[in-house]
């Protein structure tokens, strides 16, 4: 089959590799019909998350069941499904307690505490050996373990693009809103107007937020936030977004702030040197901005991905302002069915963020466009 193989930072190539095979009786093999590039794929692409051996990336995908393990109960050949990005066994303590992203069984590097390698939670598709080393879905075929736990059947009247984002960015954005328990009438400020930020804004609207505010440094992404989520927007490179948010919220700050940025690469040599000394990767500006922009007693959800610890985390401010903080990999399994219903009933539309559609063969170009924010790129969807 053809698959997009990561070799080293900035080097992803479509190559012929061996077809995936059923390895466990609970596996299926999926023929991928649509897949996407995620912002968190860029962390691997840019070398912020290490991956030493060649690997097929991609954790946002859907397709049709091509092969079926002997113990799979809930699916049949030809079933059309969308697949959550975390791999959960469905039966361990964490899976039984609705923490699928902390699954004890899917990731050989699982471990509650400890060293750099043995401290990860559930495996993720196509997300480096640290997260289990499972081949990803930016490929013609992908092996999906625990097939009775993750994949969800998709109604025939919904197109791929309408439901593909149930695999990650929609439940991730929604998780930020649900963790922070956004109530009708509240204000929600989202830092980062990329795909996850846009999903968080849509989710905030769905939960009845009265005011949704988007902050970014790219005008085209702010335009998108206004178009698809009715957001008030601030370009933080040009204006004081914190003052702007206070101005829109009676001087108090937003009820809820959401970090949809994650780790940022070092901007200056000075920052880089400091970060090497502190074993940090990049900076946490988005968290700092959230803490400043949220009201006293407010809530902050951190959806962005961070790889390491940080010095100068604003713990004092967090305590002084009585800020509640929520974070983690989104428990997609907990939200996906409700979100699919919202989409099917027409209460929620998410395909309006797609800016680029490419054949799998052109994936290197897709990564480049998305990474360099060229051609007003917000979301790239690929069709193998
Ligand atoms: Zn993702
Ligand atoms: Zn489990």
């Amino acid at each position: 089959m053809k698959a997009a193989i990561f070799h080293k930072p900035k080097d992803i190539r479509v190559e012929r590799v061996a077809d995936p095979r059923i390895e466990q009786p609970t596996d299926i093999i999926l023929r991928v019909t649509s897949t996407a590039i995620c912002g968190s794929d860029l962390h691997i692409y840019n070398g912020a998350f290490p991956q030493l051996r060649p690997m097929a990336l991609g954790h946002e995908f859907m397709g049709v069941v091509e092969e079926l393990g002997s113990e799979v109960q809930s699916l049949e050949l030809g079933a059309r499904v969308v697949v959550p990005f975390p791999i959960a066994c469905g039966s361990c303590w964490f899976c039984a307690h609705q923490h699928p992203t902390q699954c004890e069984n899917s990731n050989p590097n699982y471990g509650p505490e400890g060293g750099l390698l043995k401290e990860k939670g559930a495996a993720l598709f196509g997300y480096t050996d640290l997260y289990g080393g499972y081949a990803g879905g930016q490929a013609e075929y992908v092996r999906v373990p625990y097939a009775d736990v993750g994949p969800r059947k998709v109604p025939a009247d919904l197109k791929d693009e309408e439901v593909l984002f149930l695999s990650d960015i929609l439940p991730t954005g929604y998780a930020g809103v649900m963790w922070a328990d956004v109530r009708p009438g509240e204000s929600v400020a989202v830092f980062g107007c990329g795909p996850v930020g846009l999903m968080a804004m849509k989710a905030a609207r769905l939960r009845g937020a009265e005011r949704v505010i988007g902050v970014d440094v790219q005008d085209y992404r702010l335009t998108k936030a206004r178009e698809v989520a009715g957001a008030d927007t601030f370009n933080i490179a040009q204006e004081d977004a914190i003052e702007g948010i206070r101005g829109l919220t009676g001087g108090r700050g937003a009820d809820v702030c959401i970090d949809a940025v994650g780790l940022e690469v070092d901007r200056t040599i000075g920052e880089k040197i400091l970060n090497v000394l502190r074993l940090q990767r990049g900076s946490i500006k988005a968290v700092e901005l959230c803490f400043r922009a949220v009201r006293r007693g407010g809530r902050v959800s951190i959806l962005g991905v961070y790889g390491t610890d940080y010095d100068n985390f604003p713990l004092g401010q967090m305590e002084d302002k009585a800020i509640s903080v929520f974070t983690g990999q989104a428990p997609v399994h907990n939200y996906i069915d409700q979100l699919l219903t919202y989409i099917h009933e027409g209460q929620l539309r998410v395909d309006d963020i797609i800016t680029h559609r490419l054949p799998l063969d052109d994936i290197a170009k897709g990564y480049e466009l998305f990474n360099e924010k060229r051609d007003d790129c917000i979301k790239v969807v690929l069709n193998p």
Side-chain angles (χ1 to χ4, degrees):
M1 68 160 182
K2 284 198 285 190
I5 305 294
F6 171 88
H7 287 270
K8 59 181 191 295
K10 307 264 164 68
D11 181 6
I12 288 177
R13 287 173 249 156
V14 173
E15 291 173 354
R16 291 267 164 202
V17 298
D19 289 350
R21 293 191 332 223
I22 299 277
E23 294 175 22
Q24 299 292 330
T26 48
D27 292 351
I28 56 170
I29 302 297
L30 202 67
R31 176 170 58 79
V32 178
T33 54
S34 294
T35 181
I37 303 174
C38 179
S40 56
D41 290 328
L42 296 182
H43 297 323
I44 306 171
Y45 183 74
N46 289 316
F49 274 47
Q51 174 59 25
L52 299 178
R53 73 180 169 96
M55 180 176 195
L57 303 188
H59 57 267
E60 301 180 357
F61 57 86
M62 61 183 296
V64 173
V65 178
E66 187 87 6
E67 277 181 66
L68 207 53
S70 59
E71 286 175 21
V72 177
Q73 307 277 327
S74 59
L75 300 173
E76 61 287 331
L77 289 177
R80 181 168 165 253
V81 296
V82 61
V83 180
F85 77 91
I87 303 175
C89 77
S91 54
C92 70
W93 190 93
F94 287 100
C95 286
H97 289 79
Q98 284 75 54
H99 295 294
T101 50
Q102 316 306 332
C103 176
E104 296 169 78
N105 291 325
S106 60
N107 185 357
N109 285 319
Y110 178 84
E113 296 296 336
L116 270 177
L117 293 179
K118 299 273 182 193
E119 62 176 350
K120 293 302 177 190
L124 313 175
F125 285 101
Y127 212 75
T128 78
D129 284 327
L130 282 180
Y131 287 98
Y134 292 83
Q138 290 166 0
E140 288 181 311
Y141 297 91
V142 62
R143 171 186 162 235
V144 178
Y146 306 111
D148 284 324
V149 181
R152 296 301 199 273
K153 285 189 194 174
V154 175
D157 58 330
L158 291 174
K159 295 191 197 79
D160 274 24
E161 290 185 356
E162 293 177 283
V163 291
L164 173 61
F165 302 148
L166 287 165
S167 55
D168 176 3
I169 56 171
L170 174 56
T172 296
Y174 188 71
V177 164
M178 295 300 283
W179 291 335
D181 192 21
V182 171
R183 307 281 175 83
E186 287 195 316
S187 54
V188 178
V190 179
F191 290 79
C193 299
V196 168
L198 294 170
M199 293 296 132
M201 291 179 210
K202 285 172 178 281
R205 285 272 179 238
L206 195 66
R207 302 295 298 177
E210 188 177 296
R211 197 178 276 286
V212 173
I213 303 162
V215 180
D216 204 288
V217 295
Q218 298 279 347
D219 280 326
Y220 79 90
R221 304 217 299 181
L222 295 167
T223 303
K224 201 64 156 180
R226 291 192 292 272
E227 281 171 9
V228 306
D232 292 293
T233 57
F234 295 100
N235 186 328
I236 200 161
Q238 293 160 14
E239 54 197 326
D240 186 339
I242 306 297
E243 275 312 307
I245 290 168
R246 288 184 188 139
L248 292 174
T249 54
R252 290 185 302 276
D255 298 301
V256 171
C257 285
I258 295 178
D259 167 3
V261 176
L263 64 89
E264 290 173 280
V265 287
D266 318 285
R267 294 242 167 78
T268 66
I269 299 291
E271 265 184 72
K272 199 174 201 100
I273 291 169
L274 269 180
N275 285 337
V276 169
L277 289 174
R278 292 169 177 162
L279 300 174
Q280 294 180 166
R281 288 178 186 278
S283 63
I284 56 165
K285 295 233 167 57
V287 172
E288 293 166 359
L289 290 169
C290 284
F291 280 19
R292 287 177 59 205
V294 75
R295 68 160 163 81
R296 292 188 159 270
R299 294 93 76 197
V300 171
S301 286
I302 301 174
L303 299 175
V305 171
Y306 292 91
T308 52
D309 294 339
Y310 286 87
D311 280 354
N312 292 321
F313 179 84
L315 183 62
Q317 185 184 29
M318 179 178 154
E319 187 268 334
D320 180 70
K321 287 182 78 171
I323 300 168
S324 301
V325 177
F326 308 89
T327 188
Q329 297 276 6
V332 176
H333 300 65
N334 300 355
Y335 301 135
I336 188 170
D337 298 316
Q338 179 65 60
L339 289 166
L340 178 56
T341 303
Y342 286 142
I343 291 172
H344 204 199
E345 288 174 349
Q347 293 186 59
L348 181 62
R349 181 185 170 199
V350 291
D351 56 330
D352 52 1
I353 71 156
I354 300 169
T355 51
H356 292 75
R357 297 170 175 86
L358 298 172
L360 182 67
D361 286 327
D362 291 346
I363 195 165
K365 183 181 157 202
Y367 268 92
E368 233 177 270
L369 285 174
F370 186 37
N371 191 47
E372 292 165 21
K373 301 190 173 72
R374 274 199 274 124
D375 197 21
D376 290 358
C377 181
I378 288 182
K379 190 69 178 173
V380 181
V381 170
L382 302 139
N383 300 108

